[in-house]
């Protein structure tokens, strides 16, 4: 029994989008949770520069961590637009740590923001599935439903008005006359 694995405050588990990393213990805001680990690639070496997978973590223009290795459990952490963790990037040490930016409770999925480039390249085309975006979509759908209901009600009212046209016209004339009189008096 590897004592280290049970000491870790996380486990790999099922998430909505496949696998994810979940807290197994309370993790305090500011705590370093896990290192994003993998061989360091040098963009000046053509063979390194040719490597392409979705676990590449760019440290700067030159150095990139290839996080596709099995040992790197941090690769299971999914993106969120409103995350509870962040990547602490240390280009000089060529290291990345994932750190809690909120208090995380056992059972919570651990997320960080993958950044704009990744979002544009991988998430925007398929639609981000993070909780925050799902909520936003749900809200938009609800708003669209409300709007459709409003339009329907308006159309029905108009149809009713059209049916009661003579009465309405008389009333309108009355108002207009009243206003004109008021102005003349003042
Ligand atoms: Zn999102």
């Amino acid at each position: 029994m590897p004592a280290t694995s049970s000491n870790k405050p996380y486990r790999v588990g099922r998430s909505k989008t496949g696998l994810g990393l979940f807290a197994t213990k309370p993790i305090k805001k500011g705590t370093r949770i896990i290192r994003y680990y993998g061989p360091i690639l040098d963009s000046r070496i053509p063979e390194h520069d040719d490597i392409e997978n979705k676990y590449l973590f760019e440290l700067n223009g030159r150095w990139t961590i290839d996080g596709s290795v099995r040992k790197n459990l941090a690769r299971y952490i999914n993106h969120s637009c409103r995350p509870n963790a962040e990547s602490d990037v240390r280009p000089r040490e060529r290291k990345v740590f994932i750190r809690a930016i909120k208090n995380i409770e056992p059972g919570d999925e651990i997320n960080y923001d993958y950044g704009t480039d990744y979002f544009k390249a991988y998430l925007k085309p398929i639609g981000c599935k993070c909780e925050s975006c799902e909520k936003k979509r749900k809200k938009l759908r609800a708003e669209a439903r409300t709007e459709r209901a409003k339009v329907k009600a308006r159309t029905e009212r108009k149809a009713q008005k059209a049916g009661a046209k003579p009465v309405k016209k008389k009333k309108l004339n009355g108002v207009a006359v009243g206003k004109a009189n008021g102005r003349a008096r003042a």
Side-chain angles (χ1 to χ4, degrees):
M1 175 71 204
T4 46
S5 78
S6 60
N7 283 334
K8 286 170 184 165
Y10 52 78
R11 65 173 181 86
V12 177
R14 290 229 155 269
S15 84
K16 269 185 287 176
T17 50
L19 292 172
L21 205 70
F22 292 83
T24 53
K25 295 173 184 175
I27 301 171
K28 272 226 159 82
K29 179 180 172 179
T31 310
R32 207 181 256 186
I33 306 168
I34 188 172
R35 183 173 160 195
Y36 194 96
Y37 168 88
I40 305 291
L41 306 179
D42 182 349
S43 65
R44 295 185 194 172
I45 301 172
E47 301 90 82
H48 284 188
D49 207 32
D50 285 345
I51 293 175
E52 190 59 68
N53 66 61
K54 57 176 190 163
Y55 300 108
L56 299 180
F57 199 116
E58 216 176 292
L59 293 170
N60 55 31
R62 181 165 181 193
W63 305 107
T64 296
I65 297 173
D66 181 2
S68 63
V69 292
R70 284 193 64 188
K71 232 176 124 181
N72 178 34
L73 290 185
R75 76 186 195 278
Y76 289 110
I77 302 176
N78 289 309
H79 162 88
S80 172
C81 297
R82 291 191 69 186
N84 53 16
E86 67 176 1
S87 53
D88 176 8
V89 185
R90 304 183 167 226
R92 282 190 173 187
E93 300 167 43
R94 292 177 207 163
K95 281 180 185 170
V96 170
F97 296 98
I98 307 304
R99 185 173 50 198
I101 53 170
K102 291 177 187 171
N103 289 327
I104 303 174
E105 298 304 322
D108 286 356
E109 184 170 359
I110 299 162
N111 296 110
Y112 67 91
D113 190 337
Y114 284 6
T116 328
D117 290 343
Y118 187 98
F119 192 89
K120 277 186 194 155
Y122 294 102
L123 298 171
K124 214 176 170 194
I126 55 165
C128 181
K129 305 277 193 304
C130 87
E131 209 175 305
S132 159
C133 287
E134 292 283 15
K135 260 187 204 160
K136 229 181 276 169
R137 266 194 293 275
K138 216 171 164 186
K139 198 178 157 216
L140 285 176
R141 279 198 298 269
E143 278 169 6
R145 260 199 306 277
T146 313
E147 192 51 39
R148 280 197 299 274
K150 264 191 213 160
V151 170
K152 201 181 161 204
R154 217 179 290 143
T155 314
E156 278 169 6
R157 263 201 313 276
K158 264 187 193 163
Q160 272 173 5
K161 270 184 202 167
K165 217 172 186 177
V167 183
K168 197 75 194 169
K169 217 176 184 181
K170 232 182 187 174
K171 258 190 193 164
L172 276 174
N173 284 343
V175 169
V177 170
K179 253 190 186 170
N181 286 346
R183 240 184 258 129
R185 249 182 254 134

